Amino acid sequence: MSEDHARRARELIVQMCANPEGGHLGGSMSLVEILVTLYRDVMRIDPRRPSDPDRDILLLSKGHGAIGLYAALAERGFFPEELLASYGAPDSMFTAHPNPAVPGVEMPTGSLGHGLPLGVGFALAARLDGSDRRCFVVLGDGELQEGSVWEAAMAAGAKGLDRLVAIVDRNGLQISGDTEDTVGLEPLANRWRAFGWTVREVDGHDTSQLREALSDVPHTPGRPTVLLARTVKGKGLPYIEGQARSHYVKLTERGHRRARAALLRGERNSGEQTSGERTRGERTRTETT
């Protein structure tokens, strides 16, 4: 079941955040169902042949979510999960941003705003090659404040790149706080439509919705597709869900135990928390950072 794969990916993310360097926890946890659904149910890929020329392409434009990508790739079988223990260590291939030395990683990313332009290039190259492969680009919502994203969106719409799919991790938060308090993005769906894209909106933690929305691309001939996936930053750890402070976390030994226990219990999501529960989460900050 996709839910089981997602649970395992979250466990691997938490493990990486318990290393001496810590990691980008919140934005990786919000990506889990998106990445697991793509690798398990949607993309044409073979973990035994990560460089297959006929493979679908995935670019993680929000490169600070690298540990989420590594977890999804390991869970899918691109490499043994045990290798993730070296994350952040000197000379490890598992670096803080995606490293193409890792099987399944297509490009080094993380300079925000670069992923969608790269996706346009991959989609154009596939067209010129006569290939039917698709290119999926996963973006953060704060990243949409970069002008290069909209230049690429305009180009993709003008060129009719209908095998290009952008997926926005719409968790509403960036490192400085709420996206709408920084540079407002709404009405986001209408902005994408104005550039000639087909827009779909889903619960980014519902694997069935994700699978349905992504499996029939191209949805509209001659139009690229964008999926606005509503997610929760820090999903799976209720005491930091929906909080900007989950952006980068170095788990203490105690915090690691607590996080693992929370995942095992399948605690309630942030939308069901009471204000009292959020307060308790704030008081335990020293356990998780």
Side-chain angles (χ1 to χ4, degrees):
M1 293 177 60
S2 296
E3 291 77 11
D4 295 331
H5 301 306
R7 187 177 305 111
R8 180 54 185 160
R10 284 198 167 86
E11 291 171 353
L12 294 173
I13 291 169
V14 164
Q15 287 176 18
M16 283 183 274
C17 286
N19 81 352
E21 300 299 323
H24 288 95
L25 176 66
S28 295
M29 297 290 259
S30 63
L31 284 174
V32 167
E33 282 79 11
I34 294 169
L35 294 174
V36 166
T37 300
L38 283 167
Y39 282 114
R40 282 276 171 190
D41 302 322
V42 176
M43 293 176 61
R44 183 173 62 192
I45 51 98
D46 183 348
R48 299 166 299 180
R49 302 176 61 206
S51 299
D52 186 339
D54 293 323
R55 71 192 182 281
D56 285 337
I57 300 294
L58 186 143
L59 303 173
L60 180 62
S61 189
K62 54 168 287 184
H64 56 281
I67 58 175
L69 178 60
Y70 298 153
L73 288 170
E75 198 283 326
R76 184 64 178 85
F78 279 81
F79 50 82
E81 293 181 359
E82 292 75 17
L83 294 181
L84 294 177
S86 71
Y87 170 74
D91 299 322
S92 173
M93 65 179 174
F94 299 104
T95 52
H97 286 73
N99 182 355
V102 176
V105 174
E106 300 287 353
M107 296 287 291
T109 55
S111 294
L112 297 179
H114 288 186
L116 193 58
L118 288 170
V120 169
F122 273 102
L124 284 170
R127 174 182 288 178
L128 292 170
D129 289 342
S131 171
D132 65 349
R133 73 181 182 190
R134 298 170 296 178
C135 181
F136 299 87
V137 181
V138 180
L139 303 103
D141 50 2
E143 181 179 10
L144 302 187
Q145 295 157 8
E146 297 285 350
S148 53
V149 171
W150 299 105
E151 292 177 24
M154 179 170 58
K159 297 295 184 182
L161 299 179
D162 54 13
R163 304 195 74 78
L164 175 64
V165 184
I167 304 162
V168 178
D169 178 21
R170 188 69 169 116
N171 61 39
L173 292 169
Q174 57 194 93
I175 192 169
S176 56
D178 192 291
T179 58
E180 301 310 291
D181 292 337
T182 307
V183 176
L185 298 171
E186 297 297 341
L188 187 54
N190 288 341
R191 289 175 186 247
W192 285 95
R193 291 188 184 103
F195 283 94
W197 288 62
T198 293
V199 180
R200 292 178 168 186
E201 300 184 63
V202 299
D203 178 344
H205 298 302
D206 187 319
T207 55
S208 62
Q209 286 189 34
L210 287 163
R211 188 163 50 246
E212 181 180 356
L214 291 166
S215 294
D216 65 347
V217 172
H219 177 64
T220 307
R223 294 171 68 93
T225 296
V226 60
L227 189 68
L228 304 181
R230 299 181 301 276
T231 61
V232 177
K233 194 159 189 169
K235 177 68 174 178
L237 303 178
Y239 49 91
I240 58 171
E241 282 184 352
Q243 298 179 39
R245 70 186 181 92
S246 71
H247 186 82
Y248 195 95
V249 169
K250 179 180 176 181
L251 289 170
T252 63
E253 182 177 348
R254 181 182 180 186
H256 188 201
R257 289 197 304 269
R258 185 185 186 195
R260 290 175 60 194
L263 293 177
L264 288 172
R265 288 194 302 269
E267 292 179 356
R268 296 175 300 171
N269 64 37
S270 60
E272 297 174 320
Q273 291 182 57
T274 66
S275 58
E277 288 173 307
R278 288 186 182 276
T279 301
R280 287 196 296 276
E282 291 292 337
R283 287 200 297 266
T284 59
R285 184 172 185 177
T286 56
E287 297 180 13
T288 58
T289 59

